[in-house]
Amino acid sequence: TMPFGQVVLGPPGAGKTTYCDGMMQFLRALGRPTIVVNLDPANEELPYECAINITELVVLEEIMGELGLGPNGAMVYCLEYLEKNVDWLEEKLAVHQDKYVLFDLPGQVELYTHHNSLHTVVDRLTHAKGLDYRLTAVHLVDSYYCSDPGNFIAA
């Protein structure tokens, strides 16, 4: 079967984790088997049942301590580590081939505008033989930024 899912992104505090929790509950209520994959190593408080968690692979706080990095540098390191170890994610997802997948991503915009690790991981999920995920992007922004065109574009 061809797996489907959503890549949930947006700035910090936009509600990505809350959205993933609510969407999983909604889809399950409709009878659709659904899992959430947390790919935000800084996301420690998860309200949802997490089927796959990047913290099983790499922990932000540990990287900060071991390598003497700040939170942003450690975040980049964690995502580069995921990129280099994407086989880990593929193996975890293989168990859930028949489920709809919600990917809860980090909110730091620099990870998308100045860095390619997440792009590479998503590209691999959608183009690698045997995976071929069909994903849609859900970009969340605070409603304040939708109040006028200038704020919306800035978001």
Side-chain angles (χ1 to χ4, degrees):
T1 63
M2 184 182 305
F4 289 86
Q6 299 175 21
V7 177
V8 183
L9 39 102
K16 296 177 297 295
T17 297
T18 302
Y19 172 88
C20 287
D21 184 32
M23 182 56 70
M24 180 176 66
Q25 291 177 40
F26 174 72
L27 290 169
R28 285 183 174 177
L30 293 175
R32 180 116 191 221
T34 305
I35 64 165
V36 180
V37 175
N38 176 44
L39 293 182
D40 183 354
N43 198 352
E44 297 172 351
E45 298 297 320
L46 300 174
Y48 51 74
E49 171 192 332
C50 188
I52 303 170
N53 194 338
I54 191 174
T55 60
E56 297 169 26
L57 177 68
V58 62
V59 178
L60 185 78
E61 295 293 328
E62 289 177 10
I63 297 304
M64 288 173 64
E66 290 172 16
L67 301 179
L69 295 171
N72 292 337
M75 177 69 76
V76 168
Y77 180 92
C78 288
L79 295 176
E80 286 178 348
Y81 193 81
L82 172 64
E83 178 185 10
K84 297 291 184 235
N85 295 280
V86 72
D87 294 349
W88 170 85
L89 180 59
E90 291 174 6
E91 289 170 15
K92 295 278 189 180
L93 286 168
V95 178
H96 302 285
Q97 279 291 115
D98 59 333
K99 297 184 176 95
Y100 193 85
V101 183
L102 300 165
F103 292 93
D104 191 358
L105 299 183
Q108 291 73 9
V109 69
E110 299 82 13
L111 298 171
Y112 307 97
T113 59
H114 295 82
H115 205 261
N116 287 327
S117 289
L118 281 172
H119 177 272
T120 303
V121 169
V122 171
D123 190 58
R124 175 96 174 245
L125 294 175
T126 57
H127 293 99
K129 281 199 186 291
L131 293 176
D132 203 28
Y133 271 81
R134 299 296 184 219
L135 299 173
T136 189
V138 176
H139 185 248
L140 301 178
V141 294
D142 190 287
S143 60
Y144 166 78
Y145 294 110
C146 299
S147 61
D148 77 59
N151 284 337
F152 181 73
I153 298 300

